């Protein structure tokens, strides 16, 4: 709205004064009050210079000391002016919102294009390898985890389960739980512990 008014060439100084205000004072209501006062002041200057006359059916010298510029603008006209200015502000806001949405959509589109470009490049590289007779990379086989030498592969203890040290079984266990069964083995756990079952399968 300020740019439109400034572009008219009539309110350069009021616009400079408006731009000098702190941001928290630049409300839409304050804008209308400011430029309405500027409009009235300019009207007064034109009347004083004889360049404008109030709407009157009297003689040619109708400008009198009793006349004020406010008298030439009815409350209905001022209401319409407010409506016009409000519409101008709404249009500017809508345009700004639309522009912001376009910028956001463009950023999303750019990110999507970047992602697709990377995917196409990867597929093109794989196709080139296949076209030249090179086999696709084979996933590396999982390495076998080396088992600690001090553990008993195939061992079992009714209290401690399947992962026990060499020489430790249900019979030789030194920390037997209540109900411990010395005869329990991996083949016949006799209801004993299943802790770490399968640790030595691979």
């Amino acid at each position: 709205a300020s740019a439109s008014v400034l572009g008219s060439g009539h309110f350069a100084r009021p616009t400079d004064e408006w731009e000098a205000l702190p941001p928290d004072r630049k409300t839409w209501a304050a804008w209308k009050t400011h430029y309405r006062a500027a409009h009235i002041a300019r009207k007064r200057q034109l009347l004083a210079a004889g360049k404008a006359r109030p709407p009157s059916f009297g003689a040619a010298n109708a400008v009198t000391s009793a006349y004020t510029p406010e008298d030439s603008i009815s409350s209905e006209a001022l209401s319409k002016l407010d409506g016009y200015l409000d519409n101008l502000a709404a249009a500017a806001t809508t345009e700004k919102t639309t522009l912001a949405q376009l910028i956001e959509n463009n950023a999303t589109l750019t990110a999507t294009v970047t992602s697709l470009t990377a995917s196409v490049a990867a597929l093109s590289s794989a196709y080139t390898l296949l076209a030249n007779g090179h086999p696709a990379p084979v996933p590396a086989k999982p390495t076998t985890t080396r088992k600690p030498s001090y553990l008993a592969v195939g061992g079992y203890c009714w209290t401690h389960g399947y992962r026990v040290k060499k020489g430790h079984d249900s019979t030789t266990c030194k920390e037997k739980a209540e109900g411990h069964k010395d005869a329990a083995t991996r083949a016949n756990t006799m209801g004993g512990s299943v802790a770490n079952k399968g640790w030595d399968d691979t």
Side-chain angles (χ1 to χ4, degrees), residues 126-149:
Y127 176 79
T128 300
L129 288 174
L130 292 174
N132 292 332
H134 297 290
V138 178
K141 295 182 179 180
T143 57
T144 302
T145 303
R146 186 175 182 180
K147 302 175 181 62
S149 60

Side-chain angles (χ1 to χ4, degrees), residues 34-106:
H34 180 79
Y35 281 100
R36 180 184 174 190
H39 169 71
I40 291 173
R42 183 171 183 273
K43 189 86 169 183
R44 182 180 294 112
Q45 293 170 357
L46 292 174
L47 289 170
K51 296 181 180 180
R53 296 182 182 274
S56 171
F57 298 102
N61 60 348
V63 179
T64 65
S65 59
Y67 171 78
T68 60
E70 292 91 331
D71 294 334
S72 66
I73 305 177
S74 67
S75 59
E76 181 181 358
L78 286 175
S79 178
K80 288 183 178 180
L81 177 61
D82 280 350
Y84 298 150
L85 294 177
D86 286 335
N87 289 338
L88 176 62
T93 301
T94 300
E95 181 179 349
K96 183 178 180 181
T97 301
T98 302
L99 178 61
Q101 186 64 47
L102 287 173
I103 292 174
E104 181 179 350
N105 291 343
N106 185 62

Side-chain angles (χ1 to χ4, degrees), residues 161-197:
Y162 293 80
R163 186 182 174 90
V164 293
K165 294 181 180 180
K166 291 180 179 179
H168 180 172
D169 55 26
S170 298
T171 303
T172 62
C173 181
K174 297 180 180 179
E175 298 179 358
K176 300 176 182 179
E178 183 177 355
H180 181 91
K181 295 179 175 56
D182 290 346
T185 63
R186 179 174 287 210
N188 182 14
T189 64
M190 302 178 72
S193 173
V194 294
N196 298 306
K197 184 177 182 180

